[in-house]
């Protein structure tokens, strides 16, 4: 079984949600174990989006997010991205307000 940490900027384009879905499928088959998901974006909806997707598939996976401003991020665009809609429509209310861990600390711990 492969142990995996997924680093993603999930939220504004579909490649990251697809990668997470593929990894969750591999985990369900016993081919992989997702140890953590880290977010290299300051999108305030990204962590709740990851939580919504993983909880839907029946998993609670630690999520960490960068605390550093990411160059060239289009912050106003976050309000239009799917992460906001996924977290709002499918996220559990107790996870929406959950603050993600610091990504670097989570990586070191994991």
């Amino acid at each position: 079984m492969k142990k995996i940490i997924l680093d993603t900027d999930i939220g504004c384009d579909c490649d990251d949600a697809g990668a997470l879905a593929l990894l969750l499928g591999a985990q369900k088959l016993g081919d992989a174990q997702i140890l953590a998901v880290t977010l290299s974006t300051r999108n305030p909806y990204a962590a709740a989006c990851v939580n919504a997707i993983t909880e839907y598939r029946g998993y609670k996976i630690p999520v960490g997010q960068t605390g550093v401003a990411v160059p060239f991020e289009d912050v106003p665009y976050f309000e239009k991205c799917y992460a906001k809609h996924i977290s709002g429509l499918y996220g559990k209310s107790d996870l929406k307000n959950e603050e993600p861990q610091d990504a670097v600390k989570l990586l070191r711990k994991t």
Side-chain angles (χ1 to χ4, degrees):
M1 175 184 306
K2 302 287 184 188
K3 295 183 183 228
I4 298 183
I5 297 171
L6 175 64
D7 183 56
T8 175
D9 64 347
I10 198 166
C12 290
D13 49 15
C14 63
D15 61 324
D16 301 285
L20 180 57
L22 287 170
L23 287 174
L24 288 166
Q27 182 161 308
K28 184 176 182 178
L29 293 172
D31 294 332
Q33 178 185 7
I34 306 170
L35 302 176
V37 176
T38 56
L39 305 169
S40 55
T41 177
R42 292 297 306 256
N43 186 329
Y45 307 105
C49 180
V50 169
N51 282 331
I53 293 169
T54 57
E55 288 278 326
Y56 177 79
R57 295 295 299 266
Y59 299 102
K60 175 67 175 149
I61 297 171
V63 177
Q65 190 165 17
T66 184
V68 179
V70 179
F72 308 110
E73 276 196 310
D74 187 0
V75 175
Y77 187 60
F78 292 155
E79 293 299 316
K80 300 175 186 173
C81 294
Y82 71 86
K84 179 178 181 179
H85 303 289
I86 294 289
S87 61
L89 291 173
Y90 303 105
K92 293 186 176 178
S93 59
D94 61 327
L95 295 176
K96 285 184 195 174
N97 298 320
E98 183 178 301
E99 287 292 320
Q101 301 175 52
D102 177 76
V104 174
K105 289 179 183 176
L106 178 60
L107 286 169
R108 287 182 178 151
K109 183 173 87 173
T110 304

